Amino acid sequence: MGAGTDVAVGQEGPGASATRITFDIPSQPLTSALESYGATSKREVLYDARLATGRLSGEVRGVFAPSEALQILLDGTGLVGRLTSENAVVIVPSSPAAGQRTTPDAEALKGDPVIRARYYAVVQERVRDAFCRDTVLRPGRYRIAVQFWIAPTGTVQQTRLLSKTGDGRVDSAIETTLRRLRMKEVPPPGISQPLTMVVAPRPSEQAQDCAGIDAIRTSGQAN
């Protein structure tokens, strides 16, 4: 779950690449396509909602590795996926200019996709840590899409559920937990908001999201 392990989609290890899944995602608004991708691939997806606005996905129909499917889905959008862990991916511009209008060099630097990807990974790790520490919210058992806004101080100041789990207790706990969070780093310049996170259910043998937290609890160590 290291936040500094950004790997371009398509550069997964042999084990991950060998896993092929049947996708049936028509071309559609990118936001809904990414939610469908997360549900099918069983991957957590985080992206800047404004980057997805007004963009259409590619059609993904057939049997593909998750990385291949995401490349096809994002083809022509100016966006790419970067793995932040085995089951988590962030969506960023393929170049500093891909997600924004023409700007001076200093402003373009602020939107650097590497900076975006690194910060998104920090956010993913922080949210996952909080969810794993709550028995109600441990990932793997539910599907949710949620948007949230991060204040300049690093605290989450607003949330909005885009879809619900079907369990009111879980939905309420997600919003309450997010609003109490403070990120380990403040948002870098150039990050537009809200951020959108899609969390999908996974078979128990694939749900390793909380393994690190459980190990810490067992050993009695602290971060």
Side-chain angles (χ1 to χ4, degrees), residues 5 8 12 19 26 29 53 89 132 174 206 220:
T5 57
E12 300 169 80
T19 303
T53 301
V89 63
C132 285
I174 286 173
Q206 296 179 17

Side-chain angles (χ1 to χ4, degrees), residues 2 57 60 120 157 177 185 198:
S57 73
V60 188
Y120 292 168
Q157 60 182 6
T177 299
E185 298 180 18
V198 177

Side-chain angles (χ1 to χ4, degrees), residues 75-111:
D75 186 39
T77 64
L79 306 175
V80 296
R82 293 180 182 273
L83 291 173
T84 56
S85 72
E86 182 179 354
N87 294 312
V89 63
V90 297
I91 309 300
V92 295
S94 56
S95 65
Q100 58 193 37
R101 298 174 181 173
T102 302
T103 58
D105 290 345
E107 289 301 312
L109 180 60
K110 291 178 183 179

Side-chain angles (χ1 to χ4, degrees), residues 30-35 45-53 79 89-92 120 124 145-147 162 192 194-198:
L30 188 56
T31 298
S32 55
L34 287 171
E35 185 171 351
V45 184
L46 178 69
Y47 61 95
D48 177 338
R50 293 188 183 182
L51 288 181
T53 301
L79 306 175
V89 63
V90 297
I91 309 300
V92 295
Y120 292 168
Q124 278 184 325
V146 60
Q147 289 184 335
L162 300 180
S192 58
L195 301 183
T196 301
M197 177 175 283
V198 177

